[in-house]
Amino acid sequence: MPDTTIPVIDLAPALQGNRAERLRVAREIEAACTDIGFFTITGHGVPLALIDTLRGHASTFFNLPLDEKRRAEPERVTVPRGYRALGFDALSRGNAGDAPGDLKEYYHFGRESWPDTPYYTGETGQRYFIPNRWPARPDGFAAAAAVYYAEMERLTGQMMSLAALALGLDEDFFEDKIDRHITAMRLNFYPAQQEAPLAGQMRAGPHTDYGLLTILNGENTPGGLEVQTRGGQWLRVETAPDTFVVNIGDLLMRWTNDRWVSNVHRVVNPPPGSGPAAQRISLAFFHHPNYDALVECIAPEGQAKYPPVLSGEYRDQQYRRTRV
């Protein structure tokens, strides 16, 4: 596979077919994850109307006056829920970079409800299972987000089964590691740029993601997503309204002992003078294992490149590093 293309993988045969079809699609995933760590999926079963509904609510919210949006900020700056204004974090700092705050706004939310049991409601659980914060407008925002989140849960569960097959593991290898996952979503808004960015400032600086898989629905507008190939080339990632871009996160790379790559990517600035057409929204589901899942390399004894790490602790560390 050349390192100048983002492969497109049709999931429908795996989701609707027998084990032989699942293995065939798993081999395509293995090739993509080994080569570049990014691929586009079709045949995923997520209705376009559902995607469009959440995107429409996000667009309405982000185009509200700033003072109204800021009423949806969390009460404490460390709480990963609600609205964040332009420049709140700099993602490149999670990979030891140094840049001004990213030129994006975002809305951060997780699952809407969870069981009333100690895993979720105990002292540790409360760090990850946090009530969502929703704005007064637009009506239906929270409901649309909950429906979309549930569809992403279904899809990532199916994809992690395929990932296990691709790695030569039992198909259910990841099930007890993601059945109480701590996944957060971000609705990212990249406004049209009225002023020139500071030196080194981007919509999202070069970074890797932290968890297992990221599933993103984006837009083809000026100033979009780019991924760095193994050869160092920056490659534009095309998207369509009814497809998702999938990339590998740090924990899955660690689990595979670098067999799969958690690749550096960024969101570049639009060309000067692009105007309102450069406004961009992406819907990003950052699939993250149970907070107590121990991520240990599936490698022969003595060959592991990384020490074991707890899923929740790793995410906490990365969140802290990216705050401006």
Side-chain angles (χ1 to χ4, degrees):
M1 180 186 301
D3 68 355
T4 55
T5 60
I6 302 295
V8 178
I9 299 176
D10 182 5
L11 293 185
L15 302 185
Q16 302 167 11
N18 55 26
R19 181 176 173 83
E21 288 291 341
R22 294 198 299 276
L23 283 168
R24 183 181 63 78
V25 173
R27 285 193 290 270
E28 294 183 44
I29 292 173
E30 154 77 2
C33 294
T34 301
D35 178 58
I36 196 169
F38 270 72
F39 54 97
T40 297
I41 56 172
T42 62
H44 44 70
V46 180
L48 177 59
L50 186 154
I51 301 169
D52 286 345
T53 297
L54 181 57
R55 182 174 289 280
H57 285 307
S59 179
T60 298
F61 173 79
F62 285 119
N63 282 285
L64 292 173
L66 178 60
D67 62 344
E68 182 172 353
K69 289 186 289 188
R70 299 201 79 147
R71 294 175 204 153
E73 291 178 331
E75 294 179 1
R76 291 185 292 114
V77 70
T78 56
V79 175
R81 292 293 183 270
Y83 173 71
R84 294 301 190 184
L86 205 69
F88 176 75
D89 58 16
L91 291 179
S92 65
R93 296 185 182 184
N95 295 84
D98 185 15
D102 292 335
L103 294 172
K104 71 174 185 298
E105 305 171 30
Y106 63 86
Y107 211 97
H108 203 149
F109 66 95
R111 62 176 65 195
E112 194 66 17
S113 62
W114 46 85
D116 185 16
T117 60
Y119 186 86
Y120 301 91
T121 61
E123 182 178 353
T124 302
Q126 290 179 41
R127 290 163 45 195
Y128 304 101
F129 297 96
I130 304 167
N132 288 322
R133 185 178 180 92
W134 296 107
R137 294 195 295 165
D139 290 338
F141 192 5
V147 173
Y148 188 95
Y149 190 99
E151 275 293 288
M152 293 296 102
E153 283 187 301
R154 186 267 306 168
L155 180 58
T156 49
Q158 293 168 325
M159 293 200 64
M160 291 309 298
S161 292
L162 293 172
L165 284 177
L167 293 165
L169 304 169
D170 291 338
E171 197 166 349
D172 62 356
F173 174 82
F174 291 106
E175 282 188 11
D176 65 351
K177 303 164 184 64
I178 62 173
D179 57 349
R180 297 179 289 186
H181 63 88
I182 57 172
T183 299
M185 276 198 67
R186 284 188 182 184
L187 309 179
N188 295 311
F189 176 63
Y190 306 98
Q193 295 178 356
Q194 307 299 327
E195 301 176 357
L198 300 174
Q201 191 173 37
M202 293 186 178
R203 284 179 151 178
H207 65 282
T208 58
D209 293 340
Y210 313 146
L212 296 179
L213 300 173
T214 298
I215 300 186
L216 179 137
N217 180 263
E219 294 180 295
N220 281 332
T221 58
L225 178 64
E226 294 183 346
V227 58
Q228 190 174 48
T229 67
R230 287 184 182 268
Q233 172 189 1
W234 285 103
L235 180 65
R236 179 176 170 82
V237 181
E238 302 291 338
T239 187
D242 60 347
T243 66
F244 294 103
V245 176
V246 179
N247 66 272
I248 301 306
D250 296 349
L251 290 184
L252 190 49
M253 183 174 76
R254 293 172 72 115
W255 235 319
T256 68
N257 211 38
D258 287 356
R259 172 173 165 179
W260 288 1
V261 58
S262 176
N263 217 342
V264 176
H265 51 287
R266 65 188 184 184
V267 182
V268 297
N269 298 318
S274 296
Q279 179 174 295
R280 177 184 179 87
I281 290 175
S282 65
L283 318 178
F285 187 85
F286 298 100
H287 189 43
H288 210 93
N290 305 349
Y291 63 75
D292 60 350
L294 186 65
V295 178
E296 297 182 280
C297 297
I298 47 174
E301 186 174 352
Q303 296 183 28
K305 296 180 179 180
Y306 303 98
V309 64
L310 287 173
S311 160
E313 290 181 1
Y314 184 80
R315 195 181 79 174
D316 291 348
Q317 166 193 303
Q318 295 302 92
Y319 275 0
R320 288 192 296 269
R321 293 176 66 181
T322 59
R323 297 293 179 258
V324 173

